[in-house]
Amino acid sequence: TIDDLPNDFPIEYSQPIFSNKIESQSLPAYLNEVEKSIIIETYNETKSTWKTAEKLGVSQSYIVRRFKKYHLRISDKKIIED
């Protein structure tokens, strides 16, 4: 439950993510969707892969690799899903 999360967990991510039903998909597929959502939301907030990486505590190259993995690209500071 949300109460089991660490105190410093960004709770704004938890509400829409944990309310989704995962019964119809595998755990890896669900986790990929969660990661993709967090990356998209954070990029839309920061408008920078560097700032997104910093905010999420990962490297900028990690963010770029995830953009490729999830078929995301940036056009005019907006994310486009291919």
Side-chain angles (χ1 to χ4, degrees):
T1 67
I2 290 176
D3 296 331
D4 298 321
L5 295 171
N7 291 334
D8 61 345
F9 186 83
I11 208 68
E12 66 270 12
Y13 295 134
S14 66
Q15 296 302 326
I17 293 167
F18 293 130
S19 64
N20 293 338
K21 300 284 183 194
I22 64 168
E23 297 165 358
S24 62
Q25 53 184 320
S26 68
L27 180 60
Y30 179 73
L31 292 176
N32 283 334
E33 286 300 315
V34 170
E35 180 180 53
K36 180 180 172 184
S37 295
I38 290 171
I39 289 171
I40 290 171
E41 183 176 323
T42 306
Y43 179 83
N44 286 336
E45 218 176 273
T46 64
K47 305 294 186 208
S48 160
T49 57
W50 287 99
K51 290 176 184 174
T52 297
E54 183 178 7
K55 186 166 184 172
L56 296 178
V58 297
S59 69
Q60 191 263 353
S61 61
Y62 181 91
I63 296 298
V64 171
R65 286 192 307 270
R66 288 309 183 261
F67 267 62
K68 289 178 184 175
K69 176 180 180 177
Y70 300 127
H71 307 286
L72 304 172
R73 60 185 174 91
I74 302 166
S75 178
D76 296 324
K77 297 286 184 182
K78 295 179 184 173
I79 292 182
I80 298 170
E81 295 186 55
D82 290 333

